[in-house]
Amino acid sequence: LRACELWNLPPAEVLMVGDRVDVDAAGAIAAGMPCVIIGRAPSSSPHASGYRVLRSLTRLHGVLTDA
């Protein structure tokens, strides 16, 4: 949220990219940010509908450039 303040952007316009569902996705969801987790998703997570999982940063680049 501090970065959003510094950039003068609402959290919904800032993409959180992380590698841990329990910390990164949970924090992003709580802040109202979209979230991408790089790596493998756990078999079950209470946040499963609040983030997208991509296997690599290369895939993230592909998703961002397709938008």
Side-chain angles (χ1 to χ4, degrees):
L1 291 174
R2 179 69 178 132
C4 293
E5 290 175 21
L6 292 172
W7 298 332
N8 197 30
L9 291 170
E13 292 185 21
V14 177
L15 178 64
M16 169 60 178
V17 178
D19 63 350
R20 292 185 54 194
V21 172
D22 59 335
V23 175
D24 301 325
I29 291 165
M33 292 179 180
C35 181
V36 170
I37 297 297
I38 304 297
R40 297 178 188 256
S43 56
S44 65
S45 169
H47 311 289
S49 64
Y51 62 90
R52 181 169 178 184
V53 176
L54 298 173
R55 297 270 184 171
S56 68
L57 286 173
T58 302
R59 290 198 178 173
L60 175 61
H61 181 264
V63 168
L64 295 175
T65 57
D66 284 345

